[in-house]
Amino acid sequence: MNAYVEKVYNGLVERNGHEKEFLQAVREVLEALSPVFDKHPEYENKGLLERFVEPDRAILFRVPWVDDNGKVQVNRGYRVQYNNAIGPYKGGLRLHPSVNLSVIKFLGFEQVLKNSLTSLPIGGGKGGSDFDPKGKSDNEVMRFCQSFMTELFKYIGADEDVPAGDIGVGAREIGFLYGQYKRITGLYEGVLTGKGLSYGGSLARKEATGFGLCYLTNAMLRKHGQSFEGKRVVVSGSGNVAIYAAQKATELGGKVVAMSDSNGYIVDENGVNLDVIKQIKEVERGRIKEYAARVPGAVYTEGFRGIWTVKCDIALPCATQNELNEEGAQALIANGVFAVAEGANMPTTYEATLALQKAGVLFAPGKAANAGGVATSALEMSQNSQRLSWTFQEVDQKLKGIMENIFANIDAAAKEYGQEDNYVVGANIAGFLKVADAMLAHGCV
Ligand code: NDP
Ligand code: 2IT
């Protein structure tokens, strides 16, 4: 590693030693960026890397709300505004019991580079809470969202910071959050994305992350003389990203044979029936286990990590961070996988990524492969600013163009730095250069 890069990383370890997800994300990025700093020794005097790894600010707040039994519950809320060199802070809100500052910082850090890759003017941020929406009534979720926004509204705005969904935050939560923002501020503005279609949402935003993942994967496969046609595909997770990744993979000719949730996975050799998955997950908010009870021939197995033992050509991890470890990677390799593309953020551990790359598996990192969601969020912001809305086809076409452009850029950056086909290196370098350029232009801020 470049000496300056190593010094900055070591300083970060000293100050944030307990933030393991954050350090994991930073380490991967800095390994990839090392050659950029070899080429640009002048960056050190500008303190560019010290500024890049430190968020602009991290806001922590109490979120009190009353449950259905009349008892007061308290959760912790977060918004990390990481970097706004190229546009207003932009990134999702995650509601999951595993949320802590390390998780939100890793997501915010990744978001800066991802948003840069979209080529649209959006900076990076992330937020959320350790609130668990599972098992809560609609009214409880509403009261939580209203309390969360009652604090958050002070720090966000259509030209300042624009949150959206992530794990545990979908149309229902965005609706409650938007309602409360409007009520407190009196503003009707594009302060959130992923909104409902009746109040400023964009067509194709719901589908965008999953569709975008397959568009980028397809571009990568094409470069290597391959396609989805006739391929066995495994998609982990069964939430927003997973469902629409599975739908697009199927439309492109693949056969999705397995999906999962945090309890276990189902295998359906006939190809997963997405109408059944949508009914269970989007309508009933149920468990994937139900699928096996409803679809003849489908088999359910407890434990979400087992999904990587299902034989496939293409694996799309779309659930959560570190869901695919080295053991999972070795199982995929042994079964002949030839492409892995990350729909989730950092689903593949560092060791698993290295194992896949070493085995010659094509690997598309999340910050490039799942950028279609936030890119379409930026298209939603454009539509809100213009006070008009585009058709599904218009948005989908733009999304496809953006994802193909991302692939071309990360491919070119990898080549330029002598690491052709290493898309981890390509994505980190291509994403970083634009942000670095803007930060240098802005002076010491
Ligand atoms: P959802 O809440 O819609 O779905 C999450 C899915 O992942 C569920 O199937 C869930 O299972 C599973 N999951 C969550 N936590 C775990 C865990 N600890 N172990 C195993 N499975 C788990 O979220 P999204 O689909 O929106 O997000 C999925 C991933 O994609 C996340 O990494 C997110 O950051 C990333 N992403 C999302 C974007 C978006 O636009 N929504 C854009 C880009 C990336 P269960 O129901 O059992 O909890
Ligand atoms: O990780 C992500 O890119 C998201 N959750 C989507 C963020 C957004 O602002 O649409």
Side-chain angles (χ1 to χ4, degrees), residues 244-277:
Y244 294 95
Q247 183 171 317
K248 185 53 72 178
T250 307
E251 280 171 27
L252 292 171
K255 182 159 91 167
V256 176
V257 291
M259 292 183 78
S260 62
D261 63 20
S262 57
N263 293 115
Y265 66 98
I266 52 115
V267 176
D268 186 344
E269 287 293 340
N270 296 319
V272 171
N273 181 331
L274 287 169
D275 291 337
V276 176
I277 293 280

Coordinates of all heavy atoms in Angstrom, one line a residue, residues 244-277:
Y244 N -36.7 -7.5 -7.8 CA -36.6 -7.0 -9.2 C -35.4 -7.4 -9.9 O -35.3 -7.4 -11.1 CB -36.9 -5.5 -9.1 CG -38.3 -5.3 -8.7 CD1 -38.7 -5.0 -7.3 CD2 -39.4 -5.5 -9.6 CE1 -40.0 -5.0 -6.9 CE2 -40.7 -5.4 -9.1 CZ -41.0 -5.2 -7.8 OH -42.3 -5.1 -7.4
A245 N -34.4 -7.9 -9.2 CA -33.2 -8.5 -9.8 C -33.6 -9.8 -10.4 O -33.3 -10.1 -11.6 CB -32.1 -8.7 -8.8
A246 N -34.4 -10.6 -9.6 CA -34.9 -11.9 -10.1 C -35.8 -11.7 -11.3 O -35.7 -12.5 -12.3 CB -35.6 -12.6 -9.0
Q247 N -36.6 -10.6 -11.3 CA -37.6 -10.4 -12.4 C -36.8 -10.1 -13.7 O -37.0 -10.7 -14.7 CB -38.5 -9.2 -12.0 CG -39.5 -9.0 -13.1 CD -40.6 -8.0 -12.7 OE1 -41.1 -8.1 -11.5 NE2 -40.9 -7.0 -13.5
K248 N -35.8 -9.2 -13.6 CA -35.1 -8.8 -14.8 C -34.2 -10.0 -15.3 O -34.1 -10.2 -16.5 CB -34.2 -7.5 -14.5 CG -33.5 -7.0 -15.7 CD -34.4 -6.7 -17.0 CE -35.3 -5.5 -16.8 NZ -36.1 -5.3 -18.0
A249 N -33.6 -10.7 -14.3 CA -32.7 -11.8 -14.7 C -33.6 -12.9 -15.5 O -33.1 -13.4 -16.5 CB -32.1 -12.5 -13.5
T250 N -34.8 -13.0 -15.1 CA -35.7 -13.9 -15.8 C -36.1 -13.4 -17.2 O -36.1 -14.1 -18.2 CB -37.0 -14.2 -14.9 OG1 -36.6 -14.5 -13.6 CG2 -37.9 -15.2 -15.5
E251 N -36.4 -12.1 -17.2 CA -36.7 -11.5 -18.5 C -35.6 -11.6 -19.5 O -35.8 -11.7 -20.7 CB -37.1 -10.0 -18.3 CG -38.5 -9.7 -17.8 CD -38.7 -8.3 -17.4 OE1 -38.0 -7.4 -18.0 OE2 -39.5 -8.0 -16.5
L252 N -34.3 -11.6 -19.0 CA -33.2 -11.7 -19.8 C -32.8 -13.1 -20.2 O -31.8 -13.4 -20.8 CB -32.0 -10.9 -19.2 CG -32.1 -9.4 -19.1 CD1 -31.0 -8.8 -18.2 CD2 -32.1 -8.7 -20.4
G253 N -33.7 -14.0 -19.8 CA -33.5 -15.4 -20.2 C -32.9 -16.4 -19.2 O -32.6 -17.5 -19.5
G254 N -32.6 -15.8 -18.0 CA -32.0 -16.7 -16.9 C -33.1 -17.4 -16.2 O -34.3 -17.1 -16.3
K255 N -32.7 -18.4 -15.4 CA -33.6 -19.2 -14.6 C -33.2 -19.0 -13.1 O -32.2 -19.5 -12.7 CB -33.7 -20.7 -14.9 CG -34.7 -21.4 -14.1 CD -35.1 -22.7 -14.8 CE -34.3 -23.8 -14.3 NZ -34.8 -25.2 -14.7
V256 N -34.0 -18.3 -12.3 CA -33.7 -18.0 -10.9 C -34.2 -19.3 -10.2 O -35.4 -19.6 -10.1 CB -34.4 -16.8 -10.4 CG1 -34.2 -16.6 -8.9 CG2 -33.9 -15.5 -11.2
V257 N -33.2 -20.0 -9.6 CA -33.5 -21.3 -8.9 C -33.6 -21.2 -7.4 O -34.0 -22.1 -6.7 CB -32.6 -22.4 -9.3 CG1 -32.8 -22.7 -10.8 CG2 -31.1 -22.0 -9.1
A258 N -33.1 -20.0 -6.8 CA -33.1 -19.9 -5.3 C -33.2 -18.5 -4.9 O -32.7 -17.6 -5.5 CB -31.9 -20.6 -4.7
M259 N -33.9 -18.3 -3.7 CA -34.0 -17.0 -3.1 C -34.1 -17.2 -1.6 O -34.3 -18.4 -1.1 CB -35.2 -16.2 -3.5 CG -35.1 -15.7 -5.0 SD -36.5 -14.7 -5.6 CE -36.1 -13.1 -4.9
S260 N -33.9 -16.2 -0.8 CA -33.8 -16.4 0.7 C -34.4 -15.2 1.5 O -34.7 -14.2 0.9 CB -32.3 -16.5 1.1 OG -31.6 -15.4 0.8
D261 N -34.4 -15.4 2.8 CA -34.6 -14.3 3.7 C -33.6 -14.6 4.9 O -32.8 -15.5 4.8 CB -36.0 -14.0 4.1 CG -36.7 -15.1 4.9 OD1 -36.0 -16.0 5.4 OD2 -38.0 -15.1 4.9
S262 N -33.8 -13.8 6.0 CA -32.7 -14.0 7.0 C -32.9 -15.3 7.8 O -32.0 -15.8 8.5 CB -32.8 -12.8 8.0 OG -34.1 -12.7 8.6
N263 N -34.0 -16.1 7.6 CA -34.2 -17.4 8.2 C -33.7 -18.6 7.4 O -33.3 -19.6 8.0 CB -35.7 -17.6 8.6 CG -36.1 -16.6 9.6 OD1 -37.0 -15.8 9.4 ND2 -35.6 -16.7 10.8
G264 N -33.9 -18.5 6.1 CA -33.5 -19.6 5.3 C -33.7 -19.4 3.8 O -33.9 -18.2 3.4
Y265 N -33.6 -20.4 3.0 CA -33.7 -20.3 1.5 C -34.6 -21.3 0.9 O -34.8 -22.4 1.4 CB -32.3 -20.2 0.9 CG -31.6 -21.5 1.0 CD1 -31.6 -22.4 -0.1 CD2 -30.9 -21.9 2.1 CE1 -30.9 -23.6 -0.1 CE2 -30.2 -23.1 2.2 CZ -30.2 -23.9 1.1 OH -29.5 -25.1 1.2
I266 N -35.2 -20.9 -0.3 CA -36.0 -21.9 -1.0 C -35.3 -22.2 -2.4 O -34.6 -21.4 -2.9 CB -37.4 -21.4 -1.3 CG1 -37.4 -20.0 -2.0 CG2 -38.3 -21.4 -0.1 CD1 -37.9 -19.9 -3.4
V267 N -35.4 -23.5 -2.8 CA -34.9 -23.8 -4.1 C -36.1 -24.3 -4.9 O -37.0 -25.1 -4.4 CB -33.9 -25.0 -4.0 CG1 -33.5 -25.4 -5.4 CG2 -32.7 -24.5 -3.2
D268 N -36.3 -23.8 -6.1 CA -37.3 -24.1 -7.0 C -36.7 -24.4 -8.4 O -36.4 -23.5 -9.1 CB -38.4 -23.0 -7.1 CG -39.6 -23.5 -7.9 OD1 -39.5 -24.5 -8.7 OD2 -40.7 -22.8 -7.8
E269 N -36.6 -25.7 -8.7 CA -35.9 -26.1 -10.0 C -36.7 -25.7 -11.2 O -36.2 -25.6 -12.3 CB -35.6 -27.6 -10.0 CG -34.5 -28.0 -9.0 CD -33.1 -27.4 -9.5 OE1 -32.9 -27.1 -10.6 OE2 -32.2 -27.3 -8.6
N270 N -38.0 -25.3 -11.0 CA -38.8 -24.9 -12.2 C -38.6 -23.4 -12.5 O -39.2 -22.9 -13.4 CB -40.3 -25.2 -11.9 CG -40.5 -26.6 -11.8 OD1 -40.0 -27.4 -12.6 ND2 -41.3 -27.0 -10.8
G271 N -37.8 -22.7 -11.6 CA -37.7 -21.3 -11.8 C -38.6 -20.6 -10.8 O -39.8 -21.0 -10.8
V272 N -38.1 -19.7 -10.0 CA -38.9 -19.1 -8.9 C -40.1 -18.4 -9.5 O -39.9 -17.6 -10.4 CB -38.0 -18.2 -8.0 CG1 -38.9 -17.4 -7.0 CG2 -37.0 -19.0 -7.3
N273 N -41.3 -18.6 -8.9 CA -42.5 -17.9 -9.3 C -42.6 -16.6 -8.6 O -42.9 -16.5 -7.4 CB -43.7 -18.8 -9.0 CG -45.0 -18.1 -9.4 OD1 -45.1 -16.9 -9.5 ND2 -46.0 -19.0 -9.8
L274 N -42.3 -15.5 -9.3 CA -42.2 -14.2 -8.6 C -43.5 -13.6 -8.1 O -43.6 -12.8 -7.2 CB -41.4 -13.2 -9.5 CG -39.9 -13.5 -9.6 CD1 -39.3 -12.7 -10.6 CD2 -39.2 -13.3 -8.2
D275 N -44.6 -14.1 -8.8 CA -45.9 -13.6 -8.3 C -46.2 -14.1 -6.8 O -46.7 -13.4 -6.0 CB -47.1 -14.1 -9.2 CG -47.0 -13.4 -10.5 OD1 -46.5 -12.3 -10.6 OD2 -47.5 -14.0 -11.5
V276 N -45.7 -15.3 -6.6 CA -45.9 -15.9 -5.2 C -44.9 -15.2 -4.3 O -45.4 -14.8 -3.2 CB -45.6 -17.4 -5.3 CG1 -45.6 -18.0 -3.8 CG2 -46.6 -18.2 -6.2
I277 N -43.7 -14.9 -4.7 CA -42.8 -14.2 -3.8 C -43.3 -12.8 -3.5 O -43.3 -12.4 -2.3 CB -41.4 -14.1 -4.5 CG1 -40.7 -15.4 -4.7 CG2 -40.5 -13.1 -3.7 CD1 -40.0 -16.0 -3.4

